[in-house]
Amino acid sequence: MKLTYLTMLLLFANQVISPSNLVVTYKGETVADVQPADFAIPYLDEPILDEEKYSEFIKELEEDIYQEPVNATLNDSGEIVAGKAGYTLHRQKFRDLFYTYFLNKQPVEIEAPVLKVHPRVDKELLAMIRTKRIGQYITYFNSNNEERAHNIALAAEAVNNYVVFPGKTFSFNEVVGKRTKEKGYLPAPEIVRGEVSEGIGGGICQVSSTLFNAVDRIGVKILQRYSHSKSVPYVPSGRDATVSWYGPDFSFKNNLNQPLLIRAKAAYGNMEINIYSSDIVEYKPREVPNASKELRRDMEMFGE
């Protein structure tokens, strides 16, 4: 009995003194602590990696390490704010390191190898495509309707500084994302099946409609565009673009030879969108009717 107890004590002590853990660190902090047995296919004489378990581990590790790059932008003064590179796990290098540990079953600490992720838009590109304004559209809203004005400004901020490369598609729903309380959107009037009702994010269709008219003026290819079930006062009849997270989207394709820069701002009752590109952009301007300034005074009780 004493021998059995002593044997168990020694085994436990050996586990404490000589663990076979793999500790993964990133920037000096531990992001994972695992054992080889967790990734081995059981009941085999030779250690064979369970690829499914390893893939799940890598996915979680990558999510912990990933740092999204930040695009270069223009501030309110028109000055370029430089972008910032991001980082992601270097999968191949990590697999080589992991496999050595898996076969040797020796305790080891690995600093996660990473790859630099460059931003989509750097300051050099932004400097090139901000030079020429090729499209503009302005609509008007009642700034005294604070909830609706707030939603309009929030959606305008989401599309501001977005760059659409040649051959690529812009989706309003994809770029702006789901309109939720957590993102700061407020209940405001909106049109649902021809009736005015309260909804989170009411007002954002004015942003999508303003954008539609701005890009339509430069002749891009409109892919999706739907009108409201009743007329809206902020654009001429038939010139609106309704959007809904679970419903219609507004999207267009940049069929021009240069990237397009969207500049959007909502303030003092004006929703303004300007489209910029480089000096060598080739496009054919289109006639699009302007929104009426007189409509703003009629909007006090209006909701989308």
Side-chain angles (χ1 to χ4, degrees), residues 24-26 31 54 57-67 86-95 97 110-117:
V24 184
T25 61
Y26 180 59
V31 291
Y54 178 77
F57 170 62
I58 284 296
K59 183 179 179 181
E60 292 178 3
L61 184 61
E62 198 168 47
E63 289 175 355
D64 289 337
I65 291 173
Y66 180 74
Q67 182 178 337
Y87 296 92
T88 190
L89 180 69
H90 193 311
R91 287 196 170 210
Q92 187 55 53
K93 282 187 177 181
F94 182 81
R95 185 180 178 88
L97 294 169
I110 296 174
E111 175 69 13
V114 295
L115 286 170
K116 185 178 288 187
V117 181

Side-chain angles (χ1 to χ4, degrees), residues 188-192 195-205 228 243 303-304:
E190 60 182 1
I191 292 177
V192 179
E195 300 295 330
V196 177
S197 62
E198 287 281 315
I200 298 295
I204 65 164
C205 290
H228 288 79
V243 290
E304 277 192 307

Side-chain angles (χ1 to χ4, degrees), residues 61-257:
L61 184 61
E62 198 168 47
E63 289 175 355
D64 289 337
I65 291 173
Y66 180 74
Q67 182 178 337
E68 188 173 6
V70 179
N71 288 328
T73 59
L74 296 177
N75 62 21
D76 291 341
S77 301
E79 300 169 331
I80 295 178
V81 180
K84 187 177 180 182
Y87 296 92
T88 190
L89 180 69
H90 193 311
R91 287 196 170 210
Q92 187 55 53
K93 282 187 177 181
F94 182 81
R95 185 180 178 88
D96 293 342
L97 294 169
F98 182 90
Y99 214 80
T100 300
Y101 151 78
F102 178 73
L103 293 176
N104 293 339
K105 298 182 180 180
Q106 295 296 319
V108 67
E109 183 175 304
I110 296 174
E111 175 69 13
V114 295
L115 286 170
K116 185 178 288 187
V117 181
H118 296 283
R120 292 173 62 252
V121 181
D122 57 26
K123 61 181 181 180
E124 290 78 16
L125 173 65
L126 202 56
M128 181 185 74
I129 64 173
R130 71 168 182 169
T131 56
K132 184 175 183 179
R133 188 175 74 180
I134 61 175
Q136 182 191 48
Y137 204 81
I138 303 174
T139 61
Y140 308 96
F141 60 90
N142 173 28
S143 58
N144 292 324
N145 187 333
E146 295 181 2
E147 291 80 6
R148 189 172 184 278
H150 171 85
N151 292 338
I152 290 173
L154 205 57
E157 183 180 347
V159 301
N160 185 42
N161 281 312
Y162 194 86
V163 173
V164 189
F165 289 90
K168 297 300 181 180
T169 295
F170 173 96
S171 160
F172 189 90
N173 281 341
E174 183 178 316
V175 173
V176 176
K178 190 174 182 180
R179 281 68 81 179
T180 64
K181 290 181 180 179
E182 291 73 21
K183 288 186 176 181
Y185 288 95
L186 302 174
E190 60 182 1
I191 292 177
V192 179
R193 298 183 182 89
E195 300 295 330
V196 177
S197 62
E198 287 281 315
I200 298 295
I204 65 164
C205 290
Q206 182 156 350
V207 181
S208 55
S209 296
T210 309
L211 178 60
F212 159 59
N213 284 280
V215 297
D216 198 32
R217 277 184 164 168
I218 62 176
V220 299
K221 185 177 182 180
I222 306 300
L223 300 178
Q224 293 184 73
R225 200 269 299 186
Y226 303 93
S227 290
H228 288 79
S229 49
K230 65 183 297 184
S231 296
V232 294
Y234 45 79
V235 289
S237 179
R239 298 300 306 175
D240 57 322
T242 182
V243 290
S244 172
W245 182 250
Y246 294 109
D249 190 13
F250 166 63
S251 64
F252 66 89
K253 181 178 181 180
N254 178 8
N255 54 353
L256 307 184
N257 65 326

